[in-house]
């Protein structure tokens, strides 16, 4: 069968608008399409492929597990799931792990746990979930409602209730909304989809204090920021604030679907037998890959490397901007960076992404005005240099058009 991009329109639900390019193989930070055209990958499958494509250790992990046992369901536990959970709890504040298959599912579990914790401890009135405008937490109906973009949550009928939003970094607004009714505050420790917005140190500290004051749980959604992306295993470890619940997905599996919710033993006990579940969560294949990812990512070599590569990216992007004056700012942290388009190029982030692909570079957008980069955490210096050269060509094409 001839597989073409046109086939997408014939057989797929039209909720995506994928590129005209169909990649067929990848190695490290390079990808080849059906016509053997080579691309450099600064997109990382949206902050997922933290060790690039087909990393030998991950290929070995998946192959090794594939010939042992693939799936059991949660009627029985399995060795990879327990090994990974032990490593996750050893490396973080958490004592307990719940596995899911995606970021949204991990967040769904976190929100349900928070509600159950509040119900058990304080009664049904403590149900308010506060989250932040422009935040993103996934596409299940609960998580998309908690996410702060109505464009994504409107149009599906009645939404889950008692969910409210305030502006990110606005501590006073949060303070005004919080009360003993507040069950949990959910936040990204750097807003990814919402535009690579970093929290101020005072804001994060203040959110923690308000949660303590009102007996509310602090949930960090580290689906995008976690697993080395910002230069520490989890972003909270660099912020000086510890959440009560943390969610992880994306890079946790390096490209294999897996999600996890981490929490303390005290909070975890409220998800009693039968209260929540997933057929695939904790699947041995996914956990075997997750363990292999963790063994590599959670090392000083990789985490310090992220900080060095960030500097290389920033310097390269600033140099491009000095020539072409297209960006107002380079923002983000670690290897989650965004070039914010200046007034002249408002609304054109997608054009920059398409021009990048035309020049052999996979990039991302974050909204209409930011070109986003989320490459492999171990991308080589040579690939960064070459990818930036390709990006420069894309920028030149648009600026000189
Ligand atoms: N939370 C954050 C912060 C995300 O960036 C995303 C995806 O972009 C999600 C949750 C949803 O993850 P998934 O698409 O795996 O459900």
């Amino acid at each position: 069968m001839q597989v073409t991009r046109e086939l997408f329109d014939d057989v797929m639900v039209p909720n995506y608008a994928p590129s005209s390019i169909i990649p067929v193989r990848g190695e490290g930070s390079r990808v080849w399409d059906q016509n053997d055209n080579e691309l450099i990958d600064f997109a990382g499958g949206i902050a997922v492929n933290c060790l690039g494509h087909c990393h030998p250790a991950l290929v070995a992990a998946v192959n090794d597990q594939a010939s042992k046992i693939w799936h059991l369901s949660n009627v029985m536990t399995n060795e990879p799931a327990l090994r990974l959970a032990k490593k996750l709890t050893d490396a973080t504040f958490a004592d307990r792990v719940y596995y899911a298959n995606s970021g949204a599912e991990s967040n769904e579990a976190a929100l349900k746990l928070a509600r159950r914790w509040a119900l058990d401890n304080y009664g049904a009135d403590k149900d308010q979930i506060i989250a932040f405008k422009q935040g993103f937490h996934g596409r299940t109906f609960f998580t998309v409602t908690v996410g702060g973009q109505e464009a994504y949550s409107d149009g599906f009928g009645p939404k889950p209730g008692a969910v409210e939003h305030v502006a990110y970094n606005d501590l006073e607004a949060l303070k005004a909304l919080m009360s003993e009714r507040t069950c949990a505050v959910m936040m990204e420790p750097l807003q990814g989809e919402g535009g690579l917005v970093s929290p101020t140190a005072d804001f994060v500290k203040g959110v923690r204090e308000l949660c303590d004051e009102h007996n509310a749980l602090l949930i960090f959604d580290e689906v995008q920021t976690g697993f080395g992306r910002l230069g520490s295993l989890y972003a909270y470890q660099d912020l000086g604030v510890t959440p009560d619940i943390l969610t992880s997905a994306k890079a946790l599996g390096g490209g294999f679907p897996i999600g996890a919710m981490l929490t303390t033993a005290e909070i975890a006990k409220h998800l009693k037998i039968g209260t929540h579940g997933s057929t695939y969560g904790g699947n041995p294949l996914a956990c075997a890959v997750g363990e292999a990812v963790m063994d590599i990512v959670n090392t000083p070599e990789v985490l310090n490397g992220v900080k060095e590569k960030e500097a290389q990216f920033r310097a390269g992007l600033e140099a491009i901007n000095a020539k072409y004056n297209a960006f107002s700012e380079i923002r983000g942290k670690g290897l989650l960076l965004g070039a914010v388009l200046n007034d002249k190029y408002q609304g054109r982030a997608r054009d920059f992404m398409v021009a990048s692909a035309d020049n052999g570079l996979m990039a991302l957008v974050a909204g209409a005005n930011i070109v986003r980069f989320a490459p492999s955490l171990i991308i080589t210096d040579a690939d960064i240099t070459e990818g930036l050269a390709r990006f420069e060509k894309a920028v030149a094409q648009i600026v000189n058009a």
Side-chain angles (χ1 to χ4, degrees), residues 46-48 101-107 135-140 143 186-194 221-225 247 249-250 258-259 372:
I46 319 191
V48 167
N101 310 290
S102 65
E105 280 181 70
S106 307
N107 286 332
F136 187 79
H137 302 296
R139 298 284 198 150
T140 65
T143 58
M186 181 176 239
M187 67 181 279
E188 295 161 83
L190 179 151
Q191 286 192 326
E193 302 299 307
D221 175 346
E222 294 235 27
V223 168
Q224 188 151 170
T225 56
T247 56
K250 288 190 183 273
I258 182 172
R372 176 172 37 152

Side-chain angles (χ1 to χ4, degrees), residues 4-126:
T4 62
R5 172 61 181 78
E6 286 68 45
L7 189 57
F8 181 93
D9 299 329
D10 291 340
V11 298
M12 302 292 281
V13 166
N15 61 317
Y16 301 120
S19 155
S20 56
I21 299 166
I22 302 185
V24 292
R25 66 192 168 90
E27 192 184 325
S29 288
R30 306 246 173 175
V31 165
W32 289 266
D33 76 2
Q34 290 174 311
N35 303 316
D36 220 26
N37 295 314
E38 173 255 355
L39 296 124
I40 291 188
D41 187 359
F42 279 5
I46 319 191
V48 167
N49 302 323
C50 59
L51 298 175
H53 296 271
C54 296
H55 188 287
L58 306 196
V59 173
V62 86
N63 281 336
D64 180 54
Q65 189 60 39
S67 56
K68 287 182 178 157
I69 197 157
W70 287 33
H71 178 73
L72 291 157
S73 90
N74 288 295
V75 170
M76 289 187 182
T77 190
N78 66 79
E79 291 184 357
L82 296 180
R83 278 200 306 266
L84 177 59
K86 178 78 173 90
K87 288 182 181 181
L88 286 168
T89 52
D90 282 350
T92 64
F93 74 94
D95 318 304
R96 297 287 185 270
V97 177
Y98 168 85
Y99 288 117
N101 310 290
S102 65
E105 280 181 70
S106 307
N107 286 332
E108 186 82 17
L111 292 164
K112 285 179 71 178
L113 170 58
R115 281 269 177 83
R116 190 54 74 101
W117 167 89
L119 179 74
D120 289 350
N121 284 327
Y122 302 94
D125 288 342
K126 194 174 177 70

Side-chain angles (χ1 to χ4, degrees), residues 238-269:
D238 212 23
L239 287 172
V241 159
T242 303
D244 301 299
I245 303 177
L246 180 152
T247 56
S248 189
K250 288 190 183 273
L252 171 59
F256 203 100
I258 182 172
M261 175 190 72
L262 314 183
T263 190
T264 63
E266 187 53 34
I267 297 167
K269 73 182 186 202

Side-chain angles (χ1 to χ4, degrees), residues 42 47 189-190 196 198-199 224-235 238 302-315 317 330-339 372-379 384:
F42 279 5
L190 179 151
L196 303 164
S198 294
Q224 188 151 170
T225 56
F227 249 62
R229 179 67 39 202
L230 303 194
S232 45
L233 183 65
Y234 286 108
D238 212 23
V302 170
L303 297 176
N304 293 335
V306 169
K307 290 167 196 147
E308 287 158 22
K309 292 174 204 302
E310 174 186 359
Q312 201 184 336
F313 260 94
R314 282 184 178 276
L317 291 169
I330 306 301
R331 75 162 78 129
K333 188 174 174 187
L335 287 175
L336 189 58
L337 295 171
R372 176 172 37 152
F373 305 106
S376 158
L377 306 182
I378 56 167
I379 185 169
I384 298 176

